[in-house]
């Protein structure tokens, strides 16, 4: 579960401070997807940074799988992030010299544990199969489409079996058909793996795919209620 309670984040602006996130509350249960929308500059990226433990808020609590991340030291927060949080960036940021399989395996190398090589290889092959790229495990990014690269990006984020998945605009560089495929993939994986997924998108047509949707406006967060069919 991902739980944000009373999150406030400010940044210095000359002699004063700008409020990027203003007393935000958000809860994402295991196996569900919460969509996050809002105009550019509304605070979405700041909220994601806090939810990912990359930035410590001025006030409020971030709980990930019953761990209070805001009470951890920087070292312990980095360990929590590595072990329990998967992050899918807007751009796939794949390393051009590595194959699809190696993109996933490098995540296991980063934790310093080299004793489970065979298990990591099995996990990488499994995840590539799950995202539909089992036959492309030896392909490098230049030989893959944008949608395929984003699938690898998602598989890479899931390599450590995280409790929380943070997804930032995964369809921004894709056409609608491929974008919808990626959203369906994220939703299906969330259900199957039981992650708590927070996904940022500007596409309001995706709202029906999510379990809940929140909108940010000038740092304030509020749930979006879909209109009842009779009111449409």
């Amino acid at each position: 579960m991902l739980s944000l309670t009373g999150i406030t984040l400010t940044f210095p602006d000359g002699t004063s401070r700008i409020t990027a996130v203003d007393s935000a509350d958000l809860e994402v249960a295991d196996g569900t997807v919460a969509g996050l929308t809002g105009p550019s500059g509304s605070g979405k990226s700041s909220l994601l940074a806090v939810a990912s433990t990359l930035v410590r808020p001025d006030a409020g609590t971030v709980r990930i799988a019953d761990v209070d991340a805001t009470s951890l030291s920087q070292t312990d927060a980095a360990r929590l992030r590595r072990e329990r949080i998967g992050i899918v960036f807007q751009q796939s940021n794949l390393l051009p010299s590595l194959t699809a399989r190696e993109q996933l395996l490098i995540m296991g190398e980063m934790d310093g544990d080299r004793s489970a090589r065979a298990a990591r290889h099995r996990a990488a092959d499994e995840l590539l199969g799950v995202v539909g790229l089992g036959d492309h495990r030896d392909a490098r990014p230049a030989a893959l489409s944008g949608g395929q690269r984003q699938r690898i990006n998602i598989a890479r984020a899931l390599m450590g079996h995280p409790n929380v998945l943070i997804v930032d605009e995964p369809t921004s560089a894709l056409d609608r058909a491929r974008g919808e495929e990626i959203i369906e993939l994220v939703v299906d994986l969330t259900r199957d793996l039981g992650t708590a997924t927070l996904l940022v998108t500007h596409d309001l047509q995706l709202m029906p795919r999510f379990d809940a949707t929140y909108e940010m406006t000038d740092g304030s967060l509020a749930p979006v209620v879909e209109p009842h069919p009779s009111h449409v």
Side-chain angles (χ1 to χ4, degrees):
M1 175 178 286
L2 169 65
S3 177
L4 308 181
T5 306
I7 296 299
T8 296
L9 179 67
T10 65
F11 295 106
D13 180 39
T15 58
S16 61
R17 298 185 72 85
I18 292 177
T19 300
V21 182
D22 188 7
S23 301
D25 296 321
L26 180 150
E27 188 167 291
V28 189
D30 295 340
T32 68
V33 180
L36 178 62
T37 188
S40 297
S42 61
K44 300 188 304 298
S45 295
S46 295
L47 189 68
L48 284 192
V50 172
S52 306
T53 73
L54 292 168
V55 174
R56 190 182 297 271
D58 295 55
T61 302
V62 178
R63 297 193 70 85
I64 294 172
D66 293 327
V67 175
D68 179 359
T70 46
S71 69
L72 300 177
S73 67
Q74 288 188 352
T75 299
D76 288 340
R79 182 179 299 110
L80 177 76
R81 188 163 55 247
R82 186 170 62 245
E83 295 176 352
R84 302 203 180 188
I85 304 172
I87 304 176
V88 179
F89 297 102
Q90 190 173 131
Q91 302 298 324
S92 59
N93 296 320
L94 301 179
L95 298 172
S97 62
L98 299 185
T99 65
R101 190 193 210 192
E102 291 166 342
Q103 307 284 344
L104 274 63
L105 291 175
I106 196 172
M107 300 305 293
E109 299 292 339
M110 289 172 63
D111 64 11
D113 178 12
R114 300 176 181 273
S115 63
R117 181 179 175 84
R120 284 201 302 274
H121 277 69
R122 285 194 299 272
D125 289 344
E126 254 180 51
L127 278 170
L128 287 173
V130 166
V131 301
L133 291 176
D135 294 335
H136 294 76
R137 67 183 187 183
D138 294 322
R140 289 179 170 79
L144 299 171
S145 69
Q148 288 172 326
R149 290 195 293 271
Q150 193 62 291
R151 286 172 180 267
I152 293 172
N153 193 16
I154 293 167
R156 181 174 59 183
L158 293 168
M159 186 63 179
H161 304 289
N163 299 96
V164 169
L165 184 64
I166 305 293
V167 188
D168 186 11
E169 291 276 8
T171 65
S172 62
L174 305 175
D175 60 38
R176 174 161 292 279
R178 287 177 176 78
E180 289 181 352
E181 290 177 0
I182 290 299
I183 293 300
E184 290 296 340
L185 177 63
V186 171
V187 170
D188 289 345
L189 288 173
T190 294
R191 306 275 191 269
D192 294 344
L193 301 178
T195 59
T197 299
L198 178 60
L199 186 151
V200 169
T201 180
H202 280 106
D203 191 347
L204 295 180
Q205 294 185 42
L206 298 174
M207 279 178 54
R209 317 282 179 91
F210 306 141
D211 299 283
T213 305
Y214 295 82
E215 182 174 16
M216 289 206 79
T217 306
D218 295 331
S220 295
L221 184 70
V224 176
V225 179
E226 281 192 87
H228 190 276
S230 63
H231 298 154
V232 176

